[in-house]
Amino acid sequence: MDRKIKLSDLKSAVQEAYDNHKNDTGGTPSQKVADMNQGKFGISVRLIDGTKFDVGHSQAQFAMGAISRLPIAIQLLTQMKPQELVVKMGLGNKGCGCGCGQKPAEPKERIKGMHAKGVRAASLVEPVGDFDGKMEILSNLMIDLMGSSPVLDDKLYEATQKKAAEKDIVNSYAQVGYELYDEAGLSVNLYNRLRSMLVTTEQLAEMGATIAADGVNPATKAVAFDGSLSATVCAMMAAKGPKHMGKPWMIITGVPAMSGFGGGFVTVIPGFGSIAAFSPELNEAGVPMKAARAIKDIATKLNLNVFGSARVELEK
C-alpha cells in the first residue's frame, strides 16, 4: 500500500495544528522550570532528505528532562545487545521470558523527584567511575544527533543536585538495595546534568530525524550511531511512550514519541523523519499539552502510523 504525502500537505497539517492549539489553555509548567517560556509554543519538522521547516517558537530553549534518556539508550545499545540491556534494566521478567536473567533490585517505594531507572541507565554508561569520560561520550553523541550542542542550564542543574542531596537520594537507593552499575553519587549527578540540558524543537527534530535515517544526521551527514540500532531505539520509544501515555498514545497515533518535564515532545517516523514540539504547560500526567495535541492531530491526519504496511514517502 502506497503512503505518499505531499510536502505541501505536510506543511499545511503542521500549520493547521499550530493554529488550532496555540491558544489552548490549561496545564501548569513544571515547578523545576516554572519561570521559563510560559505561553510559548513551537513545532519543528526534519525529514531524512534534509527537508526542514518550523512554526512558532522553534528556537525557544527548554530542559530535556526525560528525553535525555534517548541518547543514553542509544549509547547503551552501542555497548551491549538489546537483550543484555533489558536484563540489566530489570525489564522483561514476565511472559515469554525474553528478559531472562536475575532481576536487579527495585525500590520498595517510588523515590520521588528522581527517576530510578533513569539513574540506573546513566550508571551503565561506560567508562565506569569516570564522570567526565561518560559526559564527553554523551555530549559528542548529542552533537552528532542534533547537529549542534545542547546548553547546560546551570541554575536548573544546581537545583536538581541540591534537591537530590536534600532527599538523600543516594542513601535511599542503598537502603532499599537498589542496584546500580556505578557509584550512586556519580550516576545521580550524571542523570541530573543530562536532564538539565537545554535544547530547542529544532534540535529535537534533528535528533529524531537522525534516528529515522538509520543513525545518519540528514543535515550534517555525520554518522551518529550504527544504523542497525535504529529499529531497537524506535521500539524502546514505542514501548515507553510519552510520560504515563505509552499505550493510549501508540493506539491513537502509532508514532514512537518521548516527552520531558521541560515541555519538549519528539516523535520518530522511521524512513521519513521527525516532528518535535514544545509547550511548557503540562497536564496531570506531566505531558506538554499543546505539543501532544498538535502532534496527535498531524500524525492522525496524515496517517503517519509506523505500523502501516508501507513506509511513508514524501512527494515534493
Side-chain angles (χ1 to χ4, degrees):
M1 182 182 76
D2 291 337
R3 290 202 295 164
K4 295 183 179 180
I5 297 174
K6 292 182 179 180
L7 178 58
S8 59
D9 290 339
L10 176 58
K11 289 184 176 180
S12 176
V14 171
Q15 186 65 56
E16 181 181 355
Y18 176 81
D19 292 338
N20 286 344
H21 296 291
K22 64 182 179 181
N23 294 320
D24 287 1
T25 58
T28 306
S30 168
Q31 292 184 351
K32 303 181 186 73
V33 290
D35 58 343
M36 293 178 63
N37 298 312
Q38 288 196 37
K40 291 187 176 181
F41 177 38
I43 305 174
S44 293
V45 177
R46 298 291 184 273
L47 305 183
I48 65 169
D49 66 355
T51 298
K52 61 181 182 179
F53 60 92
D54 309 283
V55 180
H57 301 100
S58 65
Q59 295 185 8
Q61 292 182 313
F62 51 87
M64 287 186 75
I67 298 175
S68 63
R69 299 209 295 272
L70 191 49
I72 293 176
I74 292 171
Q75 176 57 30
L76 293 181
L77 287 169
T78 67
Q79 297 176 194
M80 64 190 76
K81 294 182 179 179
Q83 182 167 326
E84 183 182 358
L85 179 57
V86 165
V87 172
K88 287 184 176 294
M89 288 300 297
L91 306 171
N93 289 278
K94 297 180 180 179
C96 67
C98 292
C100 58
Q102 184 176 358
K103 183 178 180 181
E106 304 292 338
K108 296 177 181 178
E109 298 181 1
R110 183 176 181 271
I111 301 175
K112 295 182 179 180
M114 182 64 62
H115 192 281
K117 281 197 168 73
V119 176
R120 175 178 282 163
S123 77
L124 274 167
V125 176
E126 297 176 349
V128 175
D130 184 353
F131 177 90
D132 291 336
K134 291 174 186 272
M135 196 64 221
E136 182 179 4
I137 288 172
L138 290 169
S139 295
N140 290 337
L141 175 58
M142 287 190 288
I143 291 171
D144 287 341
L145 288 168
M146 300 178 189
S148 57
S149 178
V151 179
L152 178 66
D153 184 329
D154 292 308
K155 181 179 178 182
L156 176 59
Y157 173 50
E158 291 170 2
T160 54
Q161 281 290 90
K162 181 179 179 182
K163 186 174 181 179
E166 291 173 348
K167 288 183 172 292
D168 200 17
I169 296 293
V170 171
N171 284 333
S172 296
Y173 287 154
Q175 289 169 6
V176 299
Y178 186 67
E179 184 176 348
L180 298 175
Y181 299 93
D182 205 341
E183 194 272 321
L186 183 153
S187 303
V188 169
N189 186 0
L190 180 65
Y191 186 54
N192 276 335
R193 190 175 183 90
L194 291 168
R195 64 185 189 145
S196 299
M197 290 287 181
L198 301 181
V199 292
T200 66
T201 58
E202 296 179 8
Q203 289 175 304
L204 285 190
E206 195 75 48
M207 177 169 65
T210 301
I211 297 169
D214 292 335
V216 179
N217 187 300
T220 66
K221 307 305 179 185
V223 178
F225 62 91
D226 183 344
S228 66
L229 301 178
S230 280
T232 303
V233 175
C234 289
M236 291 177 68
M237 292 179 68
K240 181 63 178 177
K243 189 174 182 181
H244 303 306
M245 281 183 65
K247 291 180 181 178
W249 175 263
M250 288 306 298
I251 291 170
I252 293 169
T253 70
V255 177
M258 290 189 73
S259 66
F261 68 75
F265 198 106
V266 61
T267 66
V268 175
I269 304 98
F272 184 72
S274 173
I275 305 172
F278 161 68
S279 60
E281 295 82 14
L282 311 179
N283 63 15
E284 296 84 354
V287 176
M289 294 176 55
K290 289 189 282 191
R293 290 170 180 170
I295 291 183
K296 175 184 70 66
D297 287 357
I298 297 166
T300 54
K301 181 173 184 176
L302 299 176
N303 189 25
L304 298 177
N305 194 314
V306 302
F307 300 107
S309 60
R311 281 192 168 184
V312 179
E313 294 182 12
L314 183 72
E315 287 186 333
K316 293 189 176 180

